Amino acid sequence: MEVIRDRAAMRHRAGALAAQGTRVGFVPTMGALHAGHLSLVAAARPGCQLVAASIFVNPLQFGPGEDFERYPRDLPRDIEALAGAGCNLVFAPESTDMYPPGARTMVEVGGMQDTLCGASRPGHFRGVATVVAKLLHLVQPAVAVFGQKDAQQAILLRRMVRDLDWPVELRIAPIVRDADGVALSSRNAYLSADERREAQGLWAALAAGRAQLERGERRAGAVGAAMRAVLAAGSRTRIDYVTLADTEQLQPLVTVEGRVLMAVAAWVGRTRLIDNLVLEVSGETVREASLND
Ligand code: AMP
């Protein structure tokens, strides 16, 4: 496993790979890796001769009072996990190298960064778009893989690469869940045993929303209310949002038809969790869909 710790070396290596015609698949992460992250490594492989991952806890995407300082970090363990998953190269820069003094430029994806998670995390998606823009320049991948787990992030980054004519194929990989339905997340490590049980409420809420649609309900408000009712039953749970939105521009829906993103965010104890389900609703039929096609 090749480990690169600074921007200049990464740029140099990416140039050499490009000169050889090597197609690079790229998986950006913040580390504290779990099976969800490792599934992205597998998703990056088809059509690529080299798979690279980045590990960088990006200070720009954390707001004041968020968990930047206590975010779990274990680089040696992450490198081992990536090697085991078939990753070939890890780029793990320091934040002083990524953001030298005097840096000012930020990337904004207007209209999509202030809704859903952006409403309670001002500046978060500007930080995400900026770091991913930098990483794409440094690594120069042919393919970049993001998880549907962070659906808003994936949709917004897809918008960014399209709008800026980036020559990169963006793949959005399905959510990896534990047996009880809870989506794998580095932040699950913060949960107590009771909170971990209550975290199942997010998946249960999405299942309740789907059940409403399968019963023929098409009013987004009514579907959302059924989902909220499930989350509200959790004594340690505080809802941030429950939204049904379109999967291109993330606009809230009034009537559900076509591809829909059902997204939930809630604090369980002090930990903010997110989850989502993408469905294709066509006439009477409701089926699970992805963000790719
Ligand atoms: P993070 O390290 O949390 O920034 O996540 C890095 C990438 O892994 C993002 O594209 C996430 O969407 C993705 N990811 C996180 N959790 C999961 C999961 N449970 N299943 C699939 N992908 C995930």
Side-chain angles (χ1 to χ4, degrees), residues 1-64:
M1 167 77 84
E2 187 179 349
V3 179
I4 297 182
R5 297 302 310 266
D6 69 90
R7 270 190 312 155
M10 185 66 242
R11 190 190 293 282
H12 185 259
R13 182 73 172 110
L17 287 165
Q20 291 164 12
T22 303
R23 280 172 59 88
V24 175
F26 179 45
V27 179
T29 82
M30 297 204 301
L33 301 180
H34 51 62
H37 296 112
L38 301 180
S39 76
L40 307 188
V41 173
R45 177 59 68 184
C48 295
Q49 291 84 44
L50 185 143
V51 175
S54 60
I55 298 177
F56 180 58
V57 184
N58 173 33
L60 278 193
Q61 70 190 69
F62 288 78

Side-chain angles (χ1 to χ4, degrees), residues 28-30 34 36-37 40 71 146-147 149-150 153 174-176 184:
T29 82
M30 297 204 301
H34 51 62
H37 296 112
L40 307 188
Y71 197 82
F146 296 89
K149 165 78 178 4
D150 298 274
Q153 166 176 285
I175 301 176
V176 176
L184 299 188

Side-chain angles (χ1 to χ4, degrees), residues 200-283:
Q200 293 174 28
L202 278 80
W203 179 231
L206 293 165
R210 179 182 188 149
Q212 287 289 318
L213 290 168
E214 282 170 345
R215 256 179 248 134
E217 182 59 76
R218 293 292 178 268
R219 294 168 302 166
V223 176
M227 295 166 68
R228 285 176 169 276
V230 173
L231 287 167
S235 61
R236 297 171 181 79
T237 302
R238 186 161 55 88
I239 299 172
D240 181 1
Y241 65 77
V242 169
T243 303
L244 284 81
D246 80 274
T247 58
E248 287 294 323
Q249 300 290 343
L250 290 172
Q251 297 308 302
L253 298 174
V254 176
T255 305
V256 183
E257 177 59 33
R259 180 94 24 119
V260 56
L261 169 70
M262 300 201 303
V264 297
W267 284 272
V268 178
R270 289 180 55 221
T271 305
R272 187 172 174 283
L273 300 176
I274 58 173
D275 201 352
N276 70 80
L277 182 61
V278 177
L279 297 173
E280 182 76 32
V281 178
S282 163

